[in-house]
Amino acid sequence: MESMNITTTVTEFVLLGLTQSHRLQYCLFVVFFLIYVITWLLNFTIIATVAVDHQLHTPQYFLLANLAFLDISDSSVNTPKLLSGLLTQHTIISFNQCFLQMFFFHFIVGAMSFLLLGMAVDRYVAICEPLRYLAIMNCNTCTGLLAAAWLGGFLHSVTQTAFLLQLPLCGPNVLDNFYCDVPQVIKLACTDIHKAELQMVFNSGVILISLFVILIISYIVILLKIRICIVEGKRKALSTCGTQITVVSLIFIPSIFTYAQPYKKYPGEKVASIVYTVVTPMLNPLIYTLRNAEMKKAIRRTLGKIFLSAGMQKPEQTVDPKTSNLVFSQQNCDHH
């Protein structure tokens, strides 16, 4: 009876955050708040532009818009807790909130990892099969890739979280990080954690390593194809692939170090967490989209239409209701 009472004592967790230095906390708060705002602005701009500009209604930009949505979601899972923790000495998070945070974090990051694989498939088809690109990457294919990414992320996360919920947590309840994560929570279990760590390594580590290897191989194949077959724009294509490999490495390599082995605290652990939870959601739109000339033109077109329509409005102009309805109907027709 006493052991049962002990195993149910953990109802909340204490997050120690990034640092205990007050001066450094305020500096980091400003830096990460700016990163969070920029992440939202960049990714929301991409989503809105793809939705509004009909010239971007193609498979490539459909996948990029969904990546932008996942970047916003990924940043919003952990960054608000990070910011609040930088303004306080310790952050308290309830048991339920902790597990929900872990579930959504792994759900979104898992979906993002599989979506990056789908985007690599899209680029491979575009470069290696340009004449059959639209036939292969049709609406059904894109929807299937997106659905598979979300389903893969969900299955990964729900499996991981369900296994964690079976572990008895009897204290201590202190996590030396700014968010709840699987390896550190496993260490708090008052039972043999060997099986739990193996499950984490298999469920997270093996998946991450497999996806990373497949992505690197696909980029190598694309680079070889560019080198052999493509003459015009070769340097730009090589540069784009190189930067995308850099971002993929920033996402996967720190994650592999964290999840592909039993948890051991190592120097730079929190920096690695910052990279793939806070920084990469801001880098993805810069690398994948805003370096794209067509996307930049589309953003300028959209902003130009907004400012032009705002400048042409006259505050005291009276409009005939019948004419207004006719114009509104015509705009809807044009939109569709």
Side-chain angles (χ1 to χ4, degrees), residues 228-247:
I228 295 172
C229 300
I230 298 176
V231 177
E232 296 182 3
K234 179 184 290 188
R235 182 176 298 178
K236 182 179 179 181
L238 289 171
S239 174
T240 300
C241 282
T243 52
Q244 290 182 4
I245 290 173
T246 301
V247 173

Side-chain angles (χ1 to χ4, degrees), residues 18 44 50 52 87 117 139-140 156 159 170 241-242 246 253 256 267 333:
L18 290 178
F44 183 78
V50 173
V52 170
L87 297 179
L117 183 61
C139 182
N140 291 334
H156 156 68
T159 303
C170 55
C241 282
T246 301
I253 291 177
I256 289 171
C333 291

Side-chain angles (χ1 to χ4, degrees), residues 64 67 116 119 219 244 247-248 284-290:
L64 284 172
L67 177 64
L116 289 173
M119 292 171 65
Y219 279 120
Q244 290 182 4
V247 173
V248 166
N284 278 341
L286 292 174
I287 299 300
Y288 279 95
T289 308
L290 296 182

Side-chain angles (χ1 to χ4, degrees), residues 46-299:
I46 291 167
I47 295 171
T49 303
V50 173
V52 170
D53 197 307
H54 293 280
Q55 295 184 31
L56 299 183
H57 290 182
T58 61
Q60 177 187 0
Y61 295 105
F62 170 77
L63 296 175
L64 284 172
N66 281 278
L67 177 64
F69 175 77
L70 285 171
D71 283 328
I72 290 176
S73 304
D74 180 23
S75 180
S76 298
V77 171
N78 294 325
T79 307
K81 206 68 180 176
L82 166 65
L83 294 174
S84 65
L86 290 172
L87 297 179
T88 58
Q89 195 69 20
H90 301 299
T91 301
I92 305 297
I93 184 171
S94 69
F95 181 92
N96 292 336
Q97 288 177 337
C98 181
F99 274 77
L100 282 174
Q101 187 181 57
M102 286 190 290
F103 171 78
F104 283 110
F105 174 63
H106 284 270
F107 179 23
I108 293 165
V109 173
M112 184 185 298
S113 301
F114 287 109
L115 181 61
L116 289 173
L117 183 61
M119 292 171 65
V121 171
D122 173 74
R123 289 300 85 205
Y124 176 84
V125 174
I127 291 174
C128 299
E129 299 287 343
L131 299 180
R132 300 175 55 209
Y133 175 70
L134 292 178
I136 297 174
M137 296 301 297
N138 53 44
C139 182
N140 291 334
T141 303
C142 292
T143 305
L145 287 174
L146 184 62
W150 281 101
L151 179 61
F154 176 78
L155 291 177
H156 156 68
S157 183
V158 75
T159 303
Q160 187 74 80
T161 308
F163 194 85
L164 277 179
L165 286 171
Q166 299 176 16
L167 296 177
L169 300 175
C170 55
N173 64 340
V174 179
L175 299 174
D176 188 14
N177 211 331
F178 61 91
Y179 70 107
C180 287
D181 203 7
V182 173
Q184 295 179 349
V185 172
I186 287 177
K187 284 294 184 182
L188 301 182
C190 48
T191 185
D192 183 12
I193 62 173
H194 181 68
K195 183 179 178 181
E197 289 185 323
L198 285 179
Q199 192 272 345
M200 178 196 71
V201 170
F202 178 79
N203 189 28
S204 297
V206 173
I207 292 175
L208 286 168
I209 293 173
S210 302
L211 290 177
F212 183 60
V213 171
I214 293 172
L215 283 169
I216 294 299
I217 292 174
S218 68
Y219 279 120
I220 291 173
V221 172
I222 291 172
L223 288 172
L224 292 175
K225 189 73 174 180
I226 292 171
R227 183 179 179 182
I228 295 172
C229 300
I230 298 176
V231 177
E232 296 182 3
K234 179 184 290 188
R235 182 176 298 178
K236 182 179 179 181
L238 289 171
S239 174
T240 300
C241 282
T243 52
Q244 290 182 4
I245 290 173
T246 301
V247 173
V248 166
S249 300
L250 285 174
I251 295 173
F252 280 90
I253 291 177
S255 302
I256 289 171
F257 272 103
T258 302
Y259 301 107
Q261 60 181 342
Y263 175 69
K264 294 180 181 179
K265 191 172 179 61
Y266 61 92
E269 174 190 359
K270 293 181 181 180
V271 175
S273 299
I274 287 291
V275 169
Y276 60 77
T277 60
V278 181
V279 177
T280 52
M282 180 187 68
L283 291 180
N284 278 341
L286 292 174
I287 299 300
Y288 279 95
T289 308
L290 296 182
R291 294 179 78 253
N292 184 298
E294 189 174 354
M295 173 60 74
K296 288 189 286 189
K297 290 179 182 178
I299 292 174

